[in-house]
Amino acid sequence: MVLEGVICGRMKTLLFCSLAMLTCSLPGCVVEPFPTGPGYAPPPVLMPLTLNDRSTQYVGRVDEALRRARLEPVYRGSADMRLEISIDEGPVNVDTTLRLVDRGRVVAFGQARASGPLLIQRERVVQDSFYRALAQFESQLNRSYPYP
């Protein structure tokens, strides 16, 4: 009976020590998407300068999505990452492609197709294609970090 009490007491001590060590190590497991604080500069993303009319109309929305992901869109200079955006309109379909490339590696990608008649509610078809591609692109942006 006494032996059981000693073993039980040692198990409680071992369990308590294990939980204490686990509790101390948990804050180290939390990872922020990007470092923050003084002296931190968000990674720059080179934005495309030559776009067709439709892409020019929507590139501001992609700029906002990049900023929400703690990236810094730049329109001049150099950057390791660059954005590729394409909105192609055919007679029936509108295809939107968004791609964030870092030194040849695709970090985030969004693509969507919407269909509709050429003259009736064409703007709505373009919006549908763009916003679906943007949602896919943004979800991948949020999963891509912490960035190596």
Side-chain angles (χ1 to χ4, degrees), residues 47 58-68 71 73 75:
M47 302 295 279
Y58 289 99
V59 75
R61 301 286 189 223
V62 181
D63 183 299
E64 293 168 2
L66 291 170
R67 289 179 193 279
R68 280 191 298 273
L71 297 169
Y75 291 86

Side-chain angles (χ1 to χ4, degrees), residues 30-124:
V30 177
V31 177
E32 280 192 38
F34 283 112
T36 57
Y40 165 73
V45 176
L46 186 60
M47 302 295 279
L49 292 177
T50 55
L51 297 169
N52 64 23
D53 290 340
R54 285 290 189 190
S55 297
T56 302
Q57 185 178 352
Y58 289 99
V59 75
R61 301 286 189 223
V62 181
D63 183 299
E64 293 168 2
L66 291 170
R67 289 179 193 279
R68 280 191 298 273
R70 296 184 186 171
L71 297 169
E72 182 65 33
V74 294
Y75 291 86
R76 296 187 192 279
S78 64
D80 289 335
M81 289 187 275
R82 67 178 160 54
L83 176 73
E84 298 172 358
I85 178 173
S86 169
I87 300 176
D88 297 318
E89 293 184 73
V92 176
N93 299 322
V94 176
D95 294 314
T96 301
T97 304
L98 303 170
R99 187 184 343 243
L100 182 63
V101 180
D102 181 12
R103 294 176 235 144
R105 184 180 75 133
V106 176
V107 177
F109 180 78
Q111 186 172 25
R113 170 178 279 184
S115 301
L118 184 59
L119 300 174
I120 302 171
Q121 296 181 339
R122 191 60 174 182
E123 187 61 33
R124 195 183 111 250

Side-chain angles (χ1 to χ4, degrees), residues 1-16:
M1 193 68 119
V2 174
L3 185 59
E4 287 178 9
V6 170
I7 292 174
C8 186
R10 286 187 181 172
M11 290 182 78
K12 285 181 183 178
T13 303
L14 182 62
L15 180 61
F16 176 75

